[in-house]
Amino acid sequence: ADGGKAQKNSTVTVEVVVDAATNLVVNGDFELGNNAWTNSDLSLLDLHNGAVGTAAVNAGVLEVIVTTPSWDGGSAPRVNQEGLDFVKGMTYEVSFDAKASEAAKIRTQVGVLISSDPWFIPYYYNTDAEGAASPFIFNLTTAWQTLTYKFTVVEDTTDNGTITFELG
């Protein structure tokens, strides 16, 4: 009334609840833009591996342009979804649609990102010739394909799991 001003700050937190029985990831159809995906709204610059790319969601489709692939053979540029619930002994199925402007590969992994070497702990067995855990690798063509894989969690239950889609 005397011309003074008052200010009140509020914080609003929105949590998307996913039915783990039917959906592992949030916003898997990109209907909500890049919500819940890391690296999908920024330049996909990875200084550690030399990767450069960009990503944007257009009409419900994540479009990634890889300018420079990573030096390590494919881990970047990538998009991730973190904070996923993985239950030891449970089998999950990952299914996604993808295509490329020219023949290319896509790698995908599930596990937990960590802050030091080896950087990622796989939560499944998909072994290479040496018996080490290896990512799931698919060959992309210029036509849409539905790509699917299953994995059974072999590590301890976590609520900090990650799924990666690696495009380098």
Side-chain angles (χ1 to χ4, degrees), residues 66-101:
V66 177
T67 307
T68 305
S70 62
W71 301 321
D72 70 355
S75 68
R78 70 173 183 233
V79 293
N80 309 329
Q81 188 160 129
E82 300 171 21
L84 303 176
D85 295 331
F86 293 139
V87 177
K88 185 173 185 172
M90 188 168 192
T91 299
Y92 298 87
E93 181 174 296
V94 176
S95 183
F96 60 100
D97 296 332
K99 71 174 185 170
S101 59

PDB file of all heavy atoms in Angstrom, residues 66-101:
ATOM      1  N   VAL A  66      26.241 -36.129 -36.901  1.00  0.00           N
ATOM      2  CA  VAL A  66      27.593 -36.428 -36.427  1.00  0.00           C
ATOM      3  C   VAL A  66      28.569 -35.711 -37.344  1.00  0.00           C
ATOM      4  O   VAL A  66      28.691 -36.059 -38.512  1.00  0.00           O
ATOM      5  CB  VAL A  66      27.862 -37.948 -36.420  1.00  0.00           C
ATOM      6  CG1 VAL A  66      29.298 -38.230 -35.992  1.00  0.00           C
ATOM      7  CG2 VAL A  66      26.861 -38.673 -35.536  1.00  0.00           C
ATOM      8  N   THR A  67      29.239 -34.695 -36.800  1.00  0.00           N
ATOM      9  CA  THR A  67      30.231 -33.954 -37.571  1.00  0.00           C
ATOM     10  C   THR A  67      31.570 -34.672 -37.526  1.00  0.00           C
ATOM     11  O   THR A  67      32.218 -34.858 -38.545  1.00  0.00           O
ATOM     12  CB  THR A  67      30.386 -32.522 -37.012  1.00  0.00           C
ATOM     13  OG1 THR A  67      29.090 -31.922 -36.948  1.00  0.00           O
ATOM     14  CG2 THR A  67      31.295 -31.689 -37.876  1.00  0.00           C
ATOM     15  N   THR A  68      31.977 -35.087 -36.318  1.00  0.00           N
ATOM     16  CA  THR A  68      33.226 -35.818 -36.126  1.00  0.00           C
ATOM     17  C   THR A  68      32.968 -36.962 -35.160  1.00  0.00           C
ATOM     18  O   THR A  68      32.556 -36.718 -34.024  1.00  0.00           O
ATOM     19  CB  THR A  68      34.322 -34.906 -35.528  1.00  0.00           C
ATOM     20  OG1 THR A  68      34.471 -33.753 -36.360  1.00  0.00           O
ATOM     21  CG2 THR A  68      35.647 -35.637 -35.415  1.00  0.00           C
ATOM     22  N   PRO A  69      33.172 -38.201 -35.579  1.00  0.00           N
ATOM     23  CA  PRO A  69      32.979 -39.319 -34.642  1.00  0.00           C
ATOM     24  C   PRO A  69      34.117 -39.381 -33.625  1.00  0.00           C
ATOM     25  O   PRO A  69      35.183 -38.808 -33.837  1.00  0.00           O
ATOM     26  CB  PRO A  69      32.975 -40.546 -35.548  1.00  0.00           C
ATOM     27  CG  PRO A  69      33.696 -40.134 -36.772  1.00  0.00           C
ATOM     28  CD  PRO A  69      33.529 -38.654 -36.920  1.00  0.00           C
ATOM     29  N   SER A  70      33.892 -40.097 -32.548  1.00  0.00           N
ATOM     30  CA  SER A  70      34.899 -40.195 -31.487  1.00  0.00           C
ATOM     31  C   SER A  70      36.098 -41.013 -31.932  1.00  0.00           C
ATOM     32  O   SER A  70      36.023 -41.837 -32.831  1.00  0.00           O
ATOM     33  CB  SER A  70      34.282 -40.819 -30.239  1.00  0.00           C
ATOM     34  OG  SER A  70      33.849 -42.131 -30.507  1.00  0.00           O
ATOM     35  N   TRP A  71      37.204 -40.769 -31.258  1.00  0.00           N
ATOM     36  CA  TRP A  71      38.449 -41.481 -31.545  1.00  0.00           C
ATOM     37  C   TRP A  71      38.395 -42.920 -31.079  1.00  0.00           C
ATOM     38  O   TRP A  71      39.139 -43.760 -31.548  1.00  0.00           O
ATOM     39  CB  TRP A  71      39.624 -40.793 -30.850  1.00  0.00           C
ATOM     40  CG  TRP A  71      39.832 -39.377 -31.239  1.00  0.00           C
ATOM     41  CD1 TRP A  71      39.710 -38.838 -32.491  1.00  0.00           C
ATOM     42  CD2 TRP A  71      40.196 -38.298 -30.392  1.00  0.00           C
ATOM     43  NE1 TRP A  71      39.983 -37.500 -32.467  1.00  0.00           N
ATOM     44  CE2 TRP A  71      40.283 -37.141 -31.180  1.00  0.00           C
ATOM     45  CE3 TRP A  71      40.457 -38.190 -29.029  1.00  0.00           C
ATOM     46  CZ2 TRP A  71      40.618 -35.897 -30.663  1.00  0.00           C
ATOM     47  CZ3 TRP A  71      40.801 -36.953 -28.521  1.00  0.00           C
ATOM     48  CH2 TRP A  71      40.873 -35.828 -29.331  1.00  0.00           C
ATOM     49  N   ASP A  72      37.531 -43.221 -30.135  1.00  0.00           N
ATOM     50  CA  ASP A  72      37.540 -44.559 -29.534  1.00  0.00           C
ATOM     51  C   ASP A  72      36.673 -45.566 -30.291  1.00  0.00           C
ATOM     52  O   ASP A  72      36.410 -46.638 -29.802  1.00  0.00           O
ATOM     53  CB  ASP A  72      37.133 -44.490 -28.065  1.00  0.00           C
ATOM     54  CG  ASP A  72      35.666 -44.151 -27.867  1.00  0.00           C
ATOM     55  OD1 ASP A  72      34.965 -43.878 -28.868  1.00  0.00           O
ATOM     56  OD2 ASP A  72      35.226 -44.157 -26.716  1.00  0.00           O
ATOM     57  N   GLY A  73      36.194 -45.213 -31.447  1.00  0.00           N
ATOM     58  CA  GLY A  73      35.495 -46.186 -32.266  1.00  0.00           C
ATOM     59  C   GLY A  73      33.994 -46.238 -32.096  1.00  0.00           C
ATOM     60  O   GLY A  73      33.367 -47.202 -32.484  1.00  0.00           O
ATOM     61  N   GLY A  74      33.378 -45.216 -31.516  1.00  0.00           N
ATOM     62  CA  GLY A  74      31.931 -45.217 -31.558  1.00  0.00           C
ATOM     63  C   GLY A  74      31.163 -44.739 -30.357  1.00  0.00           C
ATOM     64  O   GLY A  74      29.951 -44.667 -30.413  1.00  0.00           O
ATOM     65  N   SER A  75      31.807 -44.396 -29.237  1.00  0.00           N
ATOM     66  CA  SER A  75      31.007 -44.058 -28.062  1.00  0.00           C
ATOM     67  C   SER A  75      30.399 -42.666 -28.108  1.00  0.00           C
ATOM     68  O   SER A  75      29.456 -42.385 -27.371  1.00  0.00           O
ATOM     69  CB  SER A  75      31.843 -44.204 -26.789  1.00  0.00           C
ATOM     70  OG  SER A  75      32.850 -43.224 -26.746  1.00  0.00           O
ATOM     71  N   ALA A  76      30.882 -41.784 -28.940  1.00  0.00           N
ATOM     72  CA  ALA A  76      30.339 -40.429 -28.973  1.00  0.00           C
ATOM     73  C   ALA A  76      30.358 -39.909 -30.399  1.00  0.00           C
ATOM     74  O   ALA A  76      31.159 -40.348 -31.193  1.00  0.00           O
ATOM     75  CB  ALA A  76      31.152 -39.525 -28.051  1.00  0.00           C
ATOM     76  N   PRO A  77      29.485 -38.972 -30.714  1.00  0.00           N
ATOM     77  CA  PRO A  77      28.447 -38.390 -29.890  1.00  0.00           C
ATOM     78  C   PRO A  77      27.410 -39.430 -29.481  1.00  0.00           C
ATOM     79  O   PRO A  77      27.213 -40.433 -30.163  1.00  0.00           O
ATOM     80  CB  PRO A  77      27.819 -37.311 -30.750  1.00  0.00           C
ATOM     81  CG  PRO A  77      28.551 -37.268 -32.041  1.00  0.00           C
ATOM     82  CD  PRO A  77      29.486 -38.403 -32.073  1.00  0.00           C
ATOM     83  N   ARG A  78      26.746 -39.142 -28.350  1.00  0.00           N
ATOM     84  CA  ARG A  78      25.736 -40.066 -27.855  1.00  0.00           C
ATOM     85  C   ARG A  78      24.651 -39.301 -27.128  1.00  0.00           C
ATOM     86  O   ARG A  78      24.856 -38.168 -26.711  1.00  0.00           O
ATOM     87  CB  ARG A  78      26.354 -41.103 -26.937  1.00  0.00           C
ATOM     88  CG  ARG A  78      26.800 -40.540 -25.620  1.00  0.00           C
ATOM     89  CD  ARG A  78      27.262 -41.640 -24.678  1.00  0.00           C
ATOM     90  NE  ARG A  78      27.614 -41.070 -23.406  1.00  0.00           N
ATOM     91  CZ  ARG A  78      28.768 -41.253 -22.792  1.00  0.00           C
ATOM     92  NH1 ARG A  78      29.698 -42.005 -23.361  1.00  0.00           N
ATOM     93  NH2 ARG A  78      28.993 -40.703 -21.631  1.00  0.00           N
ATOM     94  N   VAL A  79      23.502 -39.940 -26.989  1.00  0.00           N
ATOM     95  CA  VAL A  79      22.435 -39.440 -26.126  1.00  0.00           C
ATOM     96  C   VAL A  79      22.165 -40.511 -25.076  1.00  0.00           C
ATOM     97  O   VAL A  79      22.289 -41.708 -25.347  1.00  0.00           O
ATOM     98  CB  VAL A  79      21.151 -39.077 -26.897  1.00  0.00           C
ATOM     99  CG1 VAL A  79      21.386 -37.883 -27.807  1.00  0.00           C
ATOM    100  CG2 VAL A  79      20.631 -40.246 -27.695  1.00  0.00           C
ATOM    101  N   ASN A  80      21.854 -40.063 -23.876  1.00  0.00           N
ATOM    102  CA  ASN A  80      21.657 -40.964 -22.738  1.00  0.00           C
ATOM    103  C   ASN A  80      20.325 -40.666 -22.067  1.00  0.00           C
ATOM    104  O   ASN A  80      19.833 -39.549 -22.139  1.00  0.00           O
ATOM    105  CB  ASN A  80      22.706 -40.733 -21.643  1.00  0.00           C
ATOM    106  CG  ASN A  80      24.111 -40.744 -22.112  1.00  0.00           C
ATOM    107  OD1 ASN A  80      24.459 -41.422 -23.059  1.00  0.00           O
ATOM    108  ND2 ASN A  80      24.947 -39.980 -21.438  1.00  0.00           N
ATOM    109  N   GLN A  81      19.868 -41.655 -21.336  1.00  0.00           N
ATOM    110  CA  GLN A  81      18.845 -41.418 -20.331  1.00  0.00           C
ATOM    111  C   GLN A  81      19.351 -42.066 -19.056  1.00  0.00           C
ATOM    112  O   GLN A  81      19.717 -43.242 -19.051  1.00  0.00           O
ATOM    113  CB  GLN A  81      17.482 -41.970 -20.711  1.00  0.00           C
ATOM    114  CG  GLN A  81      16.448 -41.497 -19.713  1.00  0.00           C
ATOM    115  CD  GLN A  81      15.035 -41.568 -20.196  1.00  0.00           C
ATOM    116  OE1 GLN A  81      14.207 -42.129 -19.497  1.00  0.00           O
ATOM    117  NE2 GLN A  81      14.736 -41.032 -21.363  1.00  0.00           N
ATOM    118  N   GLU A  82      19.402 -41.269 -18.000  1.00  0.00           N
ATOM    119  CA  GLU A  82      19.963 -41.715 -16.732  1.00  0.00           C
ATOM    120  C   GLU A  82      18.873 -41.805 -15.669  1.00  0.00           C
ATOM    121  O   GLU A  82      17.752 -41.355 -15.876  1.00  0.00           O
ATOM    122  CB  GLU A  82      21.070 -40.749 -16.299  1.00  0.00           C
ATOM    123  CG  GLU A  82      22.193 -40.676 -17.322  1.00  0.00           C
ATOM    124  CD  GLU A  82      23.205 -39.583 -17.052  1.00  0.00           C
ATOM    125  OE1 GLU A  82      23.305 -39.123 -15.894  1.00  0.00           O
ATOM    126  OE2 GLU A  82      23.893 -39.180 -18.002  1.00  0.00           O
ATOM    127  N   GLY A  83      19.214 -42.406 -14.532  1.00  0.00           N
ATOM    128  CA  GLY A  83      18.271 -42.515 -13.421  1.00  0.00           C
ATOM    129  C   GLY A  83      17.235 -43.608 -13.616  1.00  0.00           C
ATOM    130  O   GLY A  83      16.137 -43.550 -13.071  1.00  0.00           O
ATOM    131  N   LEU A  84      17.581 -44.627 -14.395  1.00  0.00           N
ATOM    132  CA  LEU A  84      16.653 -45.727 -14.664  1.00  0.00           C
ATOM    133  C   LEU A  84      16.770 -46.801 -13.591  1.00  0.00           C
ATOM    134  O   LEU A  84      17.834 -47.018 -13.028  1.00  0.00           O
ATOM    135  CB  LEU A  84      16.946 -46.334 -16.039  1.00  0.00           C
ATOM    136  CG  LEU A  84      16.903 -45.363 -17.219  1.00  0.00           C
ATOM    137  CD1 LEU A  84      17.312 -46.059 -18.498  1.00  0.00           C
ATOM    138  CD2 LEU A  84      15.532 -44.737 -17.352  1.00  0.00           C
ATOM    139  N   ASP A  85      15.676 -47.474 -13.341  1.00  0.00           N
ATOM    140  CA  ASP A  85      15.648 -48.563 -12.363  1.00  0.00           C
ATOM    141  C   ASP A  85      15.955 -49.883 -13.057  1.00  0.00           C
ATOM    142  O   ASP A  85      15.229 -50.287 -13.971  1.00  0.00           O
ATOM    143  CB  ASP A  85      14.275 -48.667 -11.701  1.00  0.00           C
ATOM    144  CG  ASP A  85      13.944 -47.449 -10.859  1.00  0.00           C
ATOM    145  OD1 ASP A  85      14.877 -46.819 -10.335  1.00  0.00           O
ATOM    146  OD2 ASP A  85      12.748 -47.131 -10.723  1.00  0.00           O
ATOM    147  N   PHE A  86      17.027 -50.542 -12.637  1.00  0.00           N
ATOM    148  CA  PHE A  86      17.359 -51.878 -13.117  1.00  0.00           C
ATOM    149  C   PHE A  86      17.316 -52.815 -11.921  1.00  0.00           C
ATOM    150  O   PHE A  86      17.918 -52.537 -10.883  1.00  0.00           O
ATOM    151  CB  PHE A  86      18.762 -51.940 -13.731  1.00  0.00           C
ATOM    152  CG  PHE A  86      18.934 -51.157 -15.005  1.00  0.00           C
ATOM    153  CD1 PHE A  86      20.086 -50.413 -15.218  1.00  0.00           C
ATOM    154  CD2 PHE A  86      17.981 -51.173 -15.998  1.00  0.00           C
ATOM    155  CE1 PHE A  86      20.280 -49.701 -16.390  1.00  0.00           C
ATOM    156  CE2 PHE A  86      18.157 -50.464 -17.174  1.00  0.00           C
ATOM    157  CZ  PHE A  86      19.309 -49.735 -17.367  1.00  0.00           C
ATOM    158  N   VAL A  87      16.635 -53.937 -12.074  1.00  0.00           N
ATOM    159  CA  VAL A  87      16.494 -54.911 -10.994  1.00  0.00           C
ATOM    160  C   VAL A  87      17.307 -56.148 -11.350  1.00  0.00           C
ATOM    161  O   VAL A  87      17.124 -56.739 -12.423  1.00  0.00           O
ATOM    162  CB  VAL A  87      15.006 -55.277 -10.783  1.00  0.00           C
ATOM    163  CG1 VAL A  87      14.857 -56.345  -9.718  1.00  0.00           C
ATOM    164  CG2 VAL A  87      14.201 -54.035 -10.427  1.00  0.00           C
ATOM    165  N   LYS A  88      18.213 -56.528 -10.446  1.00  0.00           N
ATOM    166  CA  LYS A  88      19.060 -57.698 -10.683  1.00  0.00           C
ATOM    167  C   LYS A  88      18.198 -58.923 -10.977  1.00  0.00           C
ATOM    168  O   LYS A  88      17.217 -59.202 -10.298  1.00  0.00           O
ATOM    169  CB  LYS A  88      19.945 -57.970  -9.466  1.00  0.00           C
ATOM    170  CG  LYS A  88      20.927 -59.100  -9.693  1.00  0.00           C
ATOM    171  CD  LYS A  88      21.899 -59.249  -8.553  1.00  0.00           C
ATOM    172  CE  LYS A  88      22.931 -60.312  -8.902  1.00  0.00           C
ATOM    173  NZ  LYS A  88      24.005 -60.344  -7.908  1.00  0.00           N
ATOM    174  N   GLY A  89      18.568 -59.656 -12.045  1.00  0.00           N
ATOM    175  CA  GLY A  89      17.866 -60.863 -12.444  1.00  0.00           C
ATOM    176  C   GLY A  89      16.691 -60.622 -13.376  1.00  0.00           C
ATOM    177  O   GLY A  89      16.181 -61.557 -13.983  1.00  0.00           O
ATOM    178  N   MET A  90      16.247 -59.377 -13.528  1.00  0.00           N
ATOM    179  CA  MET A  90      15.110 -59.075 -14.402  1.00  0.00           C
ATOM    180  C   MET A  90      15.587 -58.932 -15.845  1.00  0.00           C
ATOM    181  O   MET A  90      16.662 -58.393 -16.110  1.00  0.00           O
ATOM    182  CB  MET A  90      14.414 -57.794 -13.945  1.00  0.00           C
ATOM    183  CG  MET A  90      13.128 -57.510 -14.669  1.00  0.00           C
ATOM    184  SD  MET A  90      12.247 -56.185 -13.803  1.00  0.00           S
ATOM    185  CE  MET A  90      10.678 -56.289 -14.611  1.00  0.00           C
ATOM    186  N   THR A  91      14.782 -59.403 -16.785  1.00  0.00           N
ATOM    187  CA  THR A  91      15.082 -59.281 -18.206  1.00  0.00           C
ATOM    188  C   THR A  91      14.266 -58.139 -18.789  1.00  0.00           C
ATOM    189  O   THR A  91      13.067 -58.043 -18.557  1.00  0.00           O
ATOM    190  CB  THR A  91      14.770 -60.593 -18.943  1.00  0.00           C
ATOM    191  OG1 THR A  91      15.596 -61.628 -18.388  1.00  0.00           O
ATOM    192  CG2 THR A  91      15.055 -60.465 -20.439  1.00  0.00           C
ATOM    193  N   TYR A  92      14.943 -57.276 -19.530  1.00  0.00           N
ATOM    194  CA  TYR A  92      14.320 -56.119 -20.169  1.00  0.00           C
ATOM    195  C   TYR A  92      14.474 -56.245 -21.677  1.00  0.00           C
ATOM    196  O   TYR A  92      15.404 -56.881 -22.161  1.00  0.00           O
ATOM    197  CB  TYR A  92      14.997 -54.821 -19.725  1.00  0.00           C
ATOM    198  CG  TYR A  92      14.884 -54.546 -18.245  1.00  0.00           C
ATOM    199  CD1 TYR A  92      15.820 -55.056 -17.352  1.00  0.00           C
ATOM    200  CD2 TYR A  92      13.850 -53.764 -17.747  1.00  0.00           C
ATOM    201  CE1 TYR A  92      15.726 -54.791 -15.997  1.00  0.00           C
ATOM    202  CE2 TYR A  92      13.751 -53.501 -16.397  1.00  0.00           C
ATOM    203  CZ  TYR A  92      14.689 -54.017 -15.528  1.00  0.00           C
ATOM    204  OH  TYR A  92      14.600 -53.759 -14.180  1.00  0.00           O
ATOM    205  N   GLU A  93      13.576 -55.609 -22.410  1.00  0.00           N
ATOM    206  CA  GLU A  93      13.684 -55.551 -23.864  1.00  0.00           C
ATOM    207  C   GLU A  93      13.731 -54.093 -24.276  1.00  0.00           C
ATOM    208  O   GLU A  93      12.907 -53.290 -23.833  1.00  0.00           O
ATOM    209  CB  GLU A  93      12.491 -56.233 -24.531  1.00  0.00           C
ATOM    210  CG  GLU A  93      12.573 -56.213 -26.051  1.00  0.00           C
ATOM    211  CD  GLU A  93      11.461 -57.015 -26.707  1.00  0.00           C
ATOM    212  OE1 GLU A  93      11.422 -58.247 -26.512  1.00  0.00           O
ATOM    213  OE2 GLU A  93      10.637 -56.390 -27.383  1.00  0.00           O
ATOM    214  N   VAL A  94      14.705 -53.757 -25.097  1.00  0.00           N
ATOM    215  CA  VAL A  94      14.844 -52.411 -25.645  1.00  0.00           C
ATOM    216  C   VAL A  94      14.481 -52.495 -27.117  1.00  0.00           C
ATOM    217  O   VAL A  94      15.003 -53.335 -27.848  1.00  0.00           O
ATOM    218  CB  VAL A  94      16.289 -51.880 -25.481  1.00  0.00           C
ATOM    219  CG1 VAL A  94      16.444 -50.512 -26.138  1.00  0.00           C
ATOM    220  CG2 VAL A  94      16.671 -51.831 -24.009  1.00  0.00           C
ATOM    221  N   SER A  95      13.585 -51.628 -27.552  1.00  0.00           N
ATOM    222  CA  SER A  95      13.168 -51.590 -28.945  1.00  0.00           C
ATOM    223  C   SER A  95      13.116 -50.127 -29.378  1.00  0.00           C
ATOM    224  O   SER A  95      12.569 -49.287 -28.651  1.00  0.00           O
ATOM    225  CB  SER A  95      11.800 -52.247 -29.092  1.00  0.00           C
ATOM    226  OG  SER A  95      11.411 -52.270 -30.439  1.00  0.00           O
ATOM    227  N   PHE A  96      13.692 -49.829 -30.526  1.00  0.00           N
ATOM    228  CA  PHE A  96      13.695 -48.455 -31.022  1.00  0.00           C
ATOM    229  C   PHE A  96      13.722 -48.457 -32.542  1.00  0.00           C
ATOM    230  O   PHE A  96      14.125 -49.433 -33.168  1.00  0.00           O
ATOM    231  CB  PHE A  96      14.882 -47.665 -30.451  1.00  0.00           C
ATOM    232  CG  PHE A  96      16.235 -48.234 -30.795  1.00  0.00           C
ATOM    233  CD1 PHE A  96      16.990 -47.694 -31.833  1.00  0.00           C
ATOM    234  CD2 PHE A  96      16.764 -49.293 -30.085  1.00  0.00           C
ATOM    235  CE1 PHE A  96      18.238 -48.213 -32.149  1.00  0.00           C
ATOM    236  CE2 PHE A  96      18.013 -49.823 -30.386  1.00  0.00           C
ATOM    237  CZ  PHE A  96      18.757 -49.278 -31.421  1.00  0.00           C
ATOM    238  N   ASP A  97      13.261 -47.372 -33.127  1.00  0.00           N
ATOM    239  CA  ASP A  97      13.275 -47.193 -34.571  1.00  0.00           C
ATOM    240  C   ASP A  97      14.423 -46.257 -34.925  1.00  0.00           C
ATOM    241  O   ASP A  97      14.649 -45.254 -34.237  1.00  0.00           O
ATOM    242  CB  ASP A  97      11.963 -46.587 -35.065  1.00  0.00           C
ATOM    243  CG  ASP A  97      10.775 -47.501 -34.821  1.00  0.00           C
ATOM    244  OD1 ASP A  97      10.969 -48.723 -34.775  1.00  0.00           O
ATOM    245  OD2 ASP A  97       9.655 -46.981 -34.677  1.00  0.00           O
ATOM    246  N   ALA A  98      15.145 -46.568 -35.993  1.00  0.00           N
ATOM    247  CA  ALA A  98      16.275 -45.727 -36.390  1.00  0.00           C
ATOM    248  C   ALA A  98      16.546 -45.864 -37.877  1.00  0.00           C
ATOM    249  O   ALA A  98      16.207 -46.875 -38.491  1.00  0.00           O
ATOM    250  CB  ALA A  98      17.524 -46.115 -35.599  1.00  0.00           C
ATOM    251  N   LYS A  99      17.152 -44.832 -38.425  1.00  0.00           N
ATOM    252  CA  LYS A  99      17.662 -44.847 -39.801  1.00  0.00           C
ATOM    253  C   LYS A  99      18.799 -43.849 -39.868  1.00  0.00           C
ATOM    254  O   LYS A  99      19.021 -43.074 -38.933  1.00  0.00           O
ATOM    255  CB  LYS A  99      16.572 -44.510 -40.815  1.00  0.00           C
ATOM    256  CG  LYS A  99      16.127 -43.070 -40.808  1.00  0.00           C
ATOM    257  CD  LYS A  99      15.145 -42.799 -41.935  1.00  0.00           C
ATOM    258  CE  LYS A  99      14.800 -41.313 -41.998  1.00  0.00           C
ATOM    259  NZ  LYS A  99      14.042 -40.997 -43.210  1.00  0.00           N
ATOM    260  N   ALA A 100      19.535 -43.851 -40.980  1.00  0.00           N
ATOM    261  CA  ALA A 100      20.646 -42.923 -41.167  1.00  0.00           C
ATOM    262  C   ALA A 100      20.594 -42.369 -42.582  1.00  0.00           C
ATOM    263  O   ALA A 100      19.983 -42.965 -43.468  1.00  0.00           O
ATOM    264  CB  ALA A 100      21.976 -43.637 -40.925  1.00  0.00           C
ATOM    265  N   SER A 101      21.237 -41.235 -42.798  1.00  0.00           N
ATOM    266  CA  SER A 101      21.264 -40.654 -44.138  1.00  0.00           C
ATOM    267  C   SER A 101      22.143 -41.462 -45.079  1.00  0.00           C
ATOM    268  O   SER A 101      22.008 -41.389 -46.294  1.00  0.00           O
ATOM    269  CB  SER A 101      21.744 -39.201 -44.086  1.00  0.00           C
ATOM    270  OG  SER A 101      23.035 -39.138 -43.514  1.00  0.00           O
TER     271      SER A 101
END
